[in-house]
Amino acid sequence: TYQVGLKAFHAKDFPKATAYFKAAVERWKGQPRETEARWAVLRAAVRASDWHEVLEQTSLLSETKGLSEAQTNELFSSRVRAFENLG
């Protein structure tokens, strides 16, 4: 499902990519790749303008230990963008 999500992402079908990446999150629940899939969900959701999904994923990803400064900045800017678009 993750690979299919990547194909959809590269084809710019971001809603479909979001769905496939979410399926990968469920498949990899509790495994190291779950976080990788969550980042993919977030990035696809931003491009799909799925702001509720963006807020959900940024909330979950913010609990990840050992985030880099770049990751923290991406989470923050994604949340701000979502709130701006939701009003």
Side-chain angles (χ1 to χ4, degrees), residues 2 21 24-43 57 60-67 71 75:
Y2 187 84
F21 290 140
V25 167
E26 291 306 312
R27 186 174 181 198
W28 292 336
K29 195 70 117 184
Q31 298 176 34
R33 292 201 70 191
E34 178 185 354
T35 301
E36 176 185 352
R38 284 203 185 281
W39 280 104
V41 173
L42 173 62
R43 291 173 179 142
Q57 294 305 319
L60 293 166
L61 284 165
S62 67
E63 298 171 9
T64 305
K65 291 181 178 22
L67 291 175
Q71 289 171 318
L75 288 178

Side-chain angles (χ1 to χ4, degrees), residues 14-15 18 22 41-59 74-87:
F14 301 118
T18 301
K22 283 182 74 167
V41 173
L42 173 62
R43 291 173 179 142
V46 166
R47 286 166 181 80
S49 300
D50 185 347
W51 305 118
H52 290 97
E53 187 66 46
V54 169
L55 291 176
E56 180 178 342
Q57 294 305 319
T58 56
S59 177
E74 183 177 353
L75 288 178
F76 179 76
S77 65
S78 296
R79 275 188 85 74
V80 168
R81 192 166 167 199
F83 283 124
E84 288 174 344
N85 282 282
L86 290 171

